[in-house]
Amino acid sequence: MMPPRWIRHYLFAPVVVVLAVVLLTTLPVWLLLALAASPLVPGHLRVPRLIFLAIVYVVWDAAALVSLAVLWLASGFGWKKRSPFFQRAHYVLTGKFLGALFWIAKWSLHLTIDVVGTDPDTGMPGRPEIVVSRHAGPGDSFILIHALVNWFDREPRIVLKATLQWDPAIDILLNRLPNRFISPGRPGNGDLEQVVGSLAHGLDDNDAFVIFPEGGNFTPQRRTKAIAWLRKRGMEDMAARADKMQNLLPPKPGGLLAAIDAAPDSGVIFVAHTGLDKMITVADVWRELPMDKQLVMRFWSVPPSDIPAGEQERVEWLYDWWAKIDTWIEENRPAPRPWSARPSAFRP
């Protein structure tokens, strides 16, 4: 259960800022300790790179909080924070901070990303898009939103888990923008499809509505449980189709269907990626990092005219796409990169 907002904003946020100051002033000590421990741990400078990245993230979070406080003051102590000018200012701030975090992550983790397929600004410029992505850890969310804001100049609206509000910068920033934090399966959430539909309503030409139909990160245990849930409710055809997919959870169509109904002029962009699948828990992060990999993201663009009209047809259409994405993931597992390779960016 999430603590009240006043605790998250007025207790957690100052603690993060103070912690960032402490870590910055003691940075040489941490790096020396990390270098001393490095020979004891496998991986090329794994400990220093992870310590550096952790400190950078805390400092990044604190800098975002300070910037958000400045915007709050400039908007008249929050009075005008929902105005178009300050909404745009918050999107610009999002892009700057995600760009900085992405650059640091690429440098410290020896990571490159190759993006292929139709992106949100080549198929139909000026058209709102519903972006439908697989979910395989928090890293994919950061990279996807970074791509939408900085590479494609989109203003995303996101449906995401309430637990992300434990991070005070994410909590404050995303609650000032048109996003929705949800806790699936818990009382007090109301009709989730209605929430999704209201958020997708009124998309303009540079908006991108982002949804993760799986409802959570993929794990083999969750996959087995989700398929059993479908069978228990008599959805044998969907369970059989989900059973053939080895890399994805069966999609929950309700949210996507509500978004399509609320934004009928929008296209749909499906997004798949490989490389972040195994980074879910702290233990996973320790095992997988430093990555030294090339990650691949794939976009497929579907115009509004190609979206089926009926509800059952749309459900089958979504499962068809999920099967295609599952096959693509299996065929595009990333390989480790040699240290002689130089990082490259998809967009400058």
Side-chain angles (χ1 to χ4, degrees):
M1 183 177 179
M2 292 297 301
R5 179 173 293 185
W6 69 268
I7 291 180
R8 304 197 311 264
H9 289 192
Y10 299 112
L11 180 60
F12 291 178
V15 166
V16 169
V17 174
V18 172
L19 178 60
V21 173
V22 172
L23 290 174
L24 276 177
T25 56
T26 59
L27 180 60
V29 175
W30 291 108
L31 292 181
L32 286 173
L33 290 174
L35 285 170
S38 186
L40 305 177
V41 178
H44 184 79
L45 296 177
R46 170 178 287 194
V47 176
R49 285 202 279 174
L50 292 181
I51 292 294
F52 174 77
L53 192 61
I55 293 174
V56 164
Y57 187 82
V58 174
V59 173
W60 175 88
D61 223 49
L65 288 168
V66 172
S67 301
L68 288 167
V70 171
L71 282 179
W72 183 77
L73 291 171
S75 65
F77 299 94
W79 179 46
K80 290 285 190 178
K81 67 182 180 182
R82 303 289 182 186
S83 68
F85 176 83
F86 280 101
Q87 288 285 284
R88 183 57 191 166
H90 280 81
Y91 277 118
V92 171
L93 182 70
T94 300
K96 297 295 184 184
F97 274 91
L98 283 178
L101 185 65
F102 180 70
W103 182 86
I104 291 168
K106 287 205 307 176
W107 175 78
S108 62
L109 301 177
H110 200 230
L111 167 68
T112 61
I113 297 181
D114 183 24
V115 180
V116 296
T118 304
D119 63 49
D121 60 5
T122 58
M124 183 63 69
R127 182 182 70 192
E129 300 285 357
I130 298 171
V131 180
V132 186
S133 178
R134 71 170 299 207
H135 207 350
D140 66 349
S141 304
F142 276 102
I143 292 174
L144 177 58
I145 302 307
H146 164 66
L148 291 173
V149 175
N150 291 316
W151 296 343
F152 308 132
D153 197 25
R154 292 280 174 161
E155 295 183 351
R157 303 183 185 185
I158 319 165
V159 179
L160 62 173
K161 281 193 170 184
T163 50
L164 289 173
Q165 294 174 108
W166 282 100
D167 184 313
I170 293 176
D171 180 15
I172 295 172
L173 174 59
L174 296 190
N175 273 306
R176 290 186 188 175
L177 294 170
N179 304 296
R180 294 292 184 274
F181 289 95
I182 61 173
S183 301
R186 293 186 180 179
N189 283 292
D191 188 339
L192 293 181
E193 293 179 14
Q194 184 177 356
V195 170
V196 170
S198 66
L199 181 60
H201 181 74
L203 297 178
D204 62 27
D205 57 0
N206 70 335
D207 283 336
F209 180 86
V210 182
I211 189 168
F212 301 91
E214 292 167 294
N217 297 321
F218 174 89
T219 66
Q221 295 78 12
R222 285 181 176 175
R223 174 181 173 273
T224 300
K225 185 177 179 180
I227 294 172
W229 186 91
L230 291 172
R231 287 202 167 99
K232 184 177 180 180
R233 282 154 181 79
M235 304 177 187
E236 186 57 41
D237 289 344
M238 295 170 68
R241 298 192 66 178
D243 199 35
K244 296 178 181 178
M245 296 184 281
Q246 301 301 311
N247 307 287
L248 299 171
L249 300 178
K252 301 175 182 178
L256 176 58
L257 269 56
I260 293 173
D261 287 338
D265 296 329
S266 299
V268 173
I269 292 180
F270 289 94
V271 182
H273 57 80
T274 60
L276 302 180
D277 318 53
K278 299 178 181 180
M279 293 173 57
I280 307 299
T281 67
V282 174
D284 294 336
V285 173
W286 173 255
R287 183 181 62 249
E288 290 295 317
L289 295 179
M291 298 178 72
D292 304 328
K293 293 177 181 177
Q294 180 182 31
L295 307 186
V296 182
M297 293 183 70
R298 179 69 159 94
F299 290 78
W300 294 270
S301 182
V302 181
S305 58
D306 289 351
I307 300 173
E311 179 177 333
Q312 185 58 37
E313 290 82 1
R314 286 179 178 175
V315 172
E316 294 176 0
W317 169 75
L318 173 60
Y319 267 78
D320 288 341
W321 271 105
W322 233 236
K324 181 176 182 177
I325 291 171
D326 182 73
T327 300
W328 181 88
I329 292 169
E330 194 64 35
E331 295 173 350
N332 289 272
R333 296 291 184 187
R337 297 176 62 241
W339 269 93
S340 59
R342 294 186 62 186
S344 62
F346 173 64
R347 292 287 176 100

